[in-house]
Amino acid sequence: MEAFRRLRVVNKTLLCSLNPLSPARWRAGQKVFRFSTSPEKRKSQNSMLRHLASKIIATGPIPVAEYMREALTNPVQGYYVRNDMLGPDGDFITSPEISQIFGELVGIWCVSEWMGAGSPSQLQLVEFGPGRGSLANDILRVFNQLKSALGRTAVSVHLVEVSPMLSAVQAQSLTGDQSQVSPSEDEPVYRRSTTVTGLPISWYRQLEDVPRGFSIYLAHEFFDALPIHKFQRTAQGWREVMVDVDPEHSDKLRFVIVPSPTLASTTLIQADEKREHVEVCPEGGVIVQNLANRIAEDGGAALIADYGHNGTKTDTFRGFKGHQLHEVLASPGSADLTADVDFSYLRRMAGKAVGCLGPVSQRDFLRNMGIDTRMQVLLRNCADPSTRKQLLRSYDLLTNPKQMGERFQFLCLLGRGRLEQPKKFEGLKMEKKSPAPLPVAGFTKLSFS
Ligand code: SAH
């Protein structure tokens, strides 16, 4: 109970010390990614289709994972890599873009986990796929407002971003674009700068390039963008679903079930699998394994937030364009492609070196983090009816089970020591107990009264 009380005090103090929200900073209803159908864009879409079709004609059907990787992150024409996809109208909207409260609460989570780990002298904030940089921006504002809590801690920011174009948008938002871009393609750090709040910030293409050390890792709507393999149970056993050129229409792609087992179909399916159709994201699994090893060796925590399931769903591969569902095999490179994250798989891949909590729903996470208290403060300080309406609308979008409240899930990875009950000091005349570990914010129900 003492530990609960301490976390409540920590969170309440952190929440109350945040500045009130300024109406101008309110981003409710903004959209993230833009897709325009300029002639140039259409040409690029066609060339992506041609590129994939000629590959398939030369070597045979390709795994869905290869299709997804090419469509999203092909270095020239990938959806995330092209430079004209950002703007006020987009293909989908994410929680950090809906409300800055989201990032503020995640910022408090970071500080709370840093405290839970004993307030180490170094703190790396590592974010995967930061999009427009909004989440990092809101977190860094919280760090800046909690300077006194962070004391002399050496805080640095590390962004893992595959898209050079989006990295430029992030740099603009986080540094005012003072960033230096590495002239060499081989440099692990391809961009570096100082944030507007005075912290060193660097950009990498992959986790392996991020320096080791105590880190808080964040991945918001990142794992759903990683390539999945698809498998179908057949009378002959598990077979991989692949992407082929439609023999009737050479400008169209179609799904096929390949007749023989593939390396993926023989290695990625669990022996006791009950479903008829399964999606597996091995790239996500490898990243989680690496995160688990880093956390076990260097300390830290990871927070993975995405829409997903616990190993129960089957066909979740979807395309989105202009906030509408989009046929996944149509005009590759023009739409966002995504698959629900299988959190049971991520937990399995994290292994025994770390502790996992969750997944919990976004609604529970945000409420446990004190979103209701924060809303009360903001509403109390806000007289403008339209801003109040926006505040309430964003709150509803984030927490209502029919909106993003239930579909979005939060999983965290922690060093094992973080969750263990403290050991008694043996051999002493009087048994002395160290304090219970601080409960993990967001994953524990707390009252803020
Ligand atoms: N986290 C942001 C953006 C989500 S969109 C938000 O919630 O608003 C997915 C992000 O991941 C984009 O920034 C995209 O460029 C990046 N991304 C996608 N695949 C990636 C990969 N394989 N490696 C690194 N970044 C990737």
Side-chain angles (χ1 to χ4, degrees):
M1 280 321 283
E2 166 57 17
F4 276 73
R5 200 192 59 77
R6 276 188 293 139
L7 178 64
R8 205 158 61 215
V9 170
V10 167
N11 266 13
K12 200 171 177 186
T13 316
L14 297 180
L15 274 174
C16 293
S17 54
L18 295 178
N19 287 338
L21 190 80
S22 97
R25 296 273 305 118
W26 196 249
R27 288 193 298 266
Q30 267 195 22
K31 295 164 186 173
V32 196
F33 295 105
R34 177 184 185 81
F35 178 80
S36 71
T37 41
S38 63
E40 261 173 32
K41 177 70 82 57
R42 279 198 296 276
K43 207 168 120 198
S44 128
Q45 286 160 25
N46 293 342
S47 63
M48 168 68 89
L49 182 61
R50 274 203 307 277
H51 160 69
L52 287 168
S54 51
K55 196 169 184 174
I56 292 167
I57 288 162
T59 61
I62 55 171
V64 173
E66 190 175 337
Y67 172 79
M68 206 172 161
R69 188 176 298 111
E70 284 288 315
L72 292 182
T73 58
N74 175 290
V76 184
Q77 299 158 16
Y79 174 77
Y80 284 121
V81 175
R82 286 194 323 265
N83 67 348
D84 55 355
M85 62 198 271
L86 288 149
D89 300 313
D91 292 326
F92 61 97
I93 185 156
T94 64
S95 297
E97 300 292 333
I98 288 172
S99 164
Q100 69 185 63
I101 296 183
F102 183 88
E104 289 173 350
L105 295 178
V106 174
I108 292 175
W109 188 88
C110 297
V111 176
S112 166
E113 268 319 295
W114 167 80
M115 285 175 163
S119 309
S121 59
Q122 183 218 18
L123 165 59
Q124 297 193 147
L125 176 72
V126 183
E127 190 187 351
F128 290 90
R132 309 189 87 196
S134 304
L135 178 61
N137 222 334
D138 294 334
I139 292 172
L140 294 183
R141 212 177 47 256
V142 169
F143 282 12
N144 200 40
Q145 289 177 12
L146 298 177
K147 255 187 194 151
S148 57
L150 287 163
R152 292 172 183 271
T153 312
V155 184
S156 53
V157 186
H158 306 263
L159 303 181
V160 180
E161 174 56 73
V162 73
S163 162
M165 299 307 171
L166 279 179
S167 80
V169 176
Q170 293 150 18
Q172 178 67 48
S173 148
L174 295 164
T175 72
D177 207 11
Q178 303 298 313
S179 60
Q180 292 160 6
V181 182
S182 162
S184 158
E185 290 263 305
D186 305 326
E187 276 291 313
V189 180
Y190 67 85
R191 186 187 280 275
R192 68 174 87 230
S193 186
T194 304
T195 68
V196 283
T197 54
L199 303 174
I201 181 168
S202 311
W203 278 260
Y204 314 80
R205 293 173 192 88
Q206 51 184 5
L207 173 63
E208 287 72 14
D209 297 333
V210 177
R212 302 294 296 247
F214 181 92
S215 305
I216 302 287
Y217 300 94
L218 301 173
H220 185 265
E221 288 220 36
F222 169 77
F223 279 88
D224 73 289
L226 298 179
I228 51 149
H229 285 265
K230 278 171 96 60
F231 304 103
Q232 179 67 41
R233 191 195 291 275
T234 70
Q236 290 74 42
W238 285 101
R239 291 292 182 267
E240 184 159 4
V241 176
M242 293 212 182
V243 178
D244 195 6
V245 175
D246 187 335
E248 316 248 300
H249 309 273
S250 60
D251 59 344
K252 281 201 177 130
L253 300 174
R254 61 167 190 170
F255 288 117
V256 288
I257 299 176
V258 293
S260 311
T262 59
L263 182 61
S265 71
T266 47
T267 55
L268 293 177
I269 307 269
Q270 292 283 102
D272 59 353
E273 181 57 64
K274 300 276 183 300
R275 286 169 289 176
E276 297 292 306
H277 187 95
V278 171
E279 295 168 342
V280 185
C281 176
E283 210 169 292
V286 169
I287 291 176
V288 163
Q289 273 176 341
N290 287 339
L291 285 179
N293 290 340
R294 281 175 170 245
I295 291 169
E297 287 170 21
D298 311 330
L303 187 64
I304 298 171
D306 231 305
Y307 47 97
H309 59 93
N310 245 328
T312 50
K313 286 200 181 174
T314 54
D315 178 14
T316 71
F317 187 34
R318 299 278 179 273
F320 285 94
K321 191 160 152 179
H323 297 267
Q324 303 293 323
L325 275 171
H326 174 85
E327 162 55 46
V328 282
L329 297 183
S331 50
S334 77
D336 183 39
L337 297 178
T338 142
D340 285 15
V341 172
D342 180 348
F343 285 103
S344 66
Y345 173 71
L346 295 189
R347 280 185 77 121
R348 209 162 52 240
M349 296 309 280
K352 300 250 180 288
V354 287
C356 288
L357 289 182
V360 299
S361 69
Q362 171 157 304
R363 174 188 170 85
D364 285 349
F365 178 84
L366 294 177
R367 294 186 101 174
N368 290 342
M369 287 303 304
I371 192 169
D372 293 330
T373 310
R374 183 79 177 126
M375 276 297 290
Q376 280 164 17
V377 174
L378 295 175
L379 289 170
R380 225 181 6 248
N381 293 334
C382 172
D384 175 44
S386 83
T387 311
R388 286 177 73 87
K389 207 168 147 195
Q390 273 184 329
L391 272 168
L392 290 166
R393 181 168 171 265
S394 304
Y395 173 83
D396 187 59
L397 268 175
L398 291 180
T399 59
N400 188 331
K402 292 195 182 123
Q403 307 274 0
M404 298 164 114
E406 284 294 337
R407 289 186 63 224
F408 278 77
Q409 307 274 312
F410 282 64
L411 174 77
C412 83
L413 272 52
L414 302 160
R416 290 214 75 89
R418 177 72 180 82
L419 296 174
E420 273 163 15
Q421 282 302 315
K423 294 192 179 64
K424 290 177 180 170
F425 292 100
E426 307 291 348
L428 293 177
K429 267 195 179 164
M430 276 170 57
E431 273 197 339
K432 203 175 150 193
K433 252 175 128 184
S434 57
L438 220 52
V440 178
F443 292 82
T444 315
K445 281 196 172 60
L446 298 168
S447 105
F448 285 86
S449 57

